[in-house]
Amino acid sequence: MKNLTKTLAMGASALAFSASMALAGGHSTTVCLITKTDTNPFFVKMKEGATAKAEELGMTLKAYAGKIDGDHESQVQAIETCIADGAKGILITASDTAAIVEPLKQARDAGLLVIALDTPLDPIDAADATFATDNFLAGLLIGQWAKATLGDAAADARIATLDLAISQPTVDVLRNQGFLQGFGIDLADPGKIGDETDPRIVGSDVTAGNEEGGRRAMENLLAKDSTINVVHTINEPAAAGAYEALKAIGRENDVLIVSVDGGCPGVQNVKDGVIGATSQQYPLLMASLGVEAVKAWADNGVKPEPTEGKNFFDTGVALVTDKPAEGVESISVEEGMNLCWG
């Protein structure tokens, strides 16, 4: 928690795409924020953080968001617009972390600073910097907690993973593989979802990171094996959908759901018993630090440095639960509510 406290203190197709001017024109430095959607509370808070910091620093923020998670082509269009507008930097949560590399190279070649927020690019050095949760650690914590909570029963668990997208963006892989390792599953290729051979894994499905997708994916996997008793979800909206699918068959009380996000609705779901534990991340901090970095680049040509020992700037993570497990560091739901967003 000391590291988390320190980290938090440091920050305090075109029709299918919506763009908004967060601030009036007239400022010399423009920064673009490109998120996957503008409805997920995580990205709403990210835009809030970027808007506030841009206002504080006297910058112009232009924000773009796709209608659905996975809207890669619209992100490419947004990048092209930012280059044409003479922006000094781009902050992006990429929908396709590999396919977006070439368009972002064009931005960097044009002199823009490119910062990945939350979701590392593939490869990570395709961005000038990354401000993100340690997503592998976020997954690891919920995996360790689930294993410890089940105790001896973990050896006979029936596990479902509700992931993000078929393209397996980096954030998806990191959370999935972290969870499995934390639970004691031997990983095959840590850069890939679904190649493990542990018989406890029933299977995985994708959710697009929303409640409807979570419900559908859970239904699909329950049809494959109705005895599933451990569910990892990419985020809390997907977890809420999974819970509804389980509730529909009367199994909401005997399946352990774990997730990642830490938004206020998700933390409330931990309190209400919908989610057993969640790993909390801090999107407002990611975005505000990103805007500061673009300002420093515009003014002085200085690029941000990663956290010591890592290839990204770590914006912190904390496990939130009211049922702590021995050997797994966590904070209470009350503490999580004090730090939550959305």
Side-chain angles (χ1 to χ4, degrees):
M1 284 305 298
K2 290 182 180 179
N3 289 338
L4 173 61
T5 302
K6 180 179 179 181
T7 299
L8 292 176
M10 295 178 68
S13 126
L15 293 177
F17 220 75
S18 61
S20 62
M21 286 289 289
L23 298 169
H27 298 137
S28 60
T29 302
T30 296
V31 56
C32 291
L33 174 68
I34 306 173
T35 55
K36 298 174 185 178
T37 74
D38 58 4
T39 55
N40 186 311
F42 185 86
F43 301 124
V44 171
K45 183 55 65 172
M46 190 173 276
K47 181 179 176 181
E48 180 183 316
T51 300
K53 183 57 66 172
E55 178 69 41
E56 176 188 330
L57 297 178
M59 301 169 69
T60 297
L61 176 73
K62 294 185 177 182
Y64 302 83
K67 287 187 175 181
I68 60 171
D69 202 316
D71 192 358
H72 167 72
E73 292 303 322
S74 292
Q75 290 199 318
V76 172
Q77 293 169 16
I79 291 167
E80 293 170 349
T81 298
C82 294
I83 296 171
D85 285 350
K88 295 297 185 179
I90 292 174
L91 315 177
I92 185 168
T93 59
S95 289
D96 190 320
T97 51
I100 204 69
V101 167
E102 182 56 34
L104 287 174
K105 181 180 183 300
Q106 295 174 22
R108 296 175 76 186
D109 289 346
L112 281 74
L113 185 75
V114 172
I115 296 179
L117 301 181
D118 176 56
T119 303
L121 302 183
D122 183 12
I124 193 168
D125 62 4
D128 293 294
T130 301
F131 291 120
T133 305
D134 187 331
N135 282 292
F136 189 89
L137 177 59
L140 188 76
L141 288 169
I142 54 176
Q144 291 173 335
W145 180 87
K147 181 181 180 182
T149 298
L150 287 178
D152 292 342
D156 300 311
R158 305 298 293 154
I159 302 168
T161 70
L162 273 57
D163 303 301
L164 182 58
I166 294 174
S167 64
Q168 299 192 13
T170 53
V171 66
D172 201 9
V173 175
L174 288 166
R175 293 180 188 182
N176 173 287
Q177 297 290 280
F179 163 76
L180 292 178
Q181 181 167 299
F183 199 85
I185 304 292
D186 289 333
L187 305 181
D189 179 352
K192 182 179 181 181
I193 293 173
D195 59 353
E196 299 79 20
T197 59
D198 194 300
R200 291 175 291 178
I201 301 175
V202 171
S204 64
D205 204 344
V206 297
T207 66
N210 59 52
E211 187 168 341
E212 180 183 355
R215 181 171 59 251
R216 182 180 60 251
M218 190 75 256
E219 290 170 347
N220 291 342
L221 291 169
L222 285 168
K224 182 177 181 180
D225 187 335
S226 63
T227 68
I228 290 167
N229 63 353
V230 179
V231 178
H232 155 72
T233 68
I234 179 66
N235 62 13
E236 292 156 359
Y243 179 83
E244 290 303 315
L246 291 163
K247 186 177 180 180
I249 61 171
R251 295 207 54 218
E252 72 273 20
N253 295 322
D254 58 8
V255 178
L256 196 61
I257 301 176
V258 292
S259 196
V260 179
D261 258 354
C264 296
V267 176
Q268 183 64 45
N269 276 347
V270 175
K271 182 177 181 179
D272 294 341
V274 172
I275 302 172
T278 192
S279 286
Q280 187 171 63
Q281 48 184 346
Y282 305 101
L284 189 150
L285 179 58
M286 297 176 197
S288 61
L289 289 173
V291 171
E292 287 182 346
V294 172
K295 179 65 171 173
W297 168 252
D299 290 351
N300 305 308
V302 176
K303 294 184 179 181
E305 296 290 335
T307 298
E308 186 176 355
K310 300 187 177 184
N311 57 359
F312 65 97
F313 188 97
D314 188 348
T315 52
V317 64
L319 183 73
V320 180
T321 185
D322 271 344
K323 298 177 181 179
E326 186 176 354
V328 186
E329 186 175 1
S330 63
I331 63 175
S332 68
V333 167
E334 182 178 0
E335 293 173 285
M337 289 300 292
N338 289 334
L339 295 169
C340 71
W341 39 266

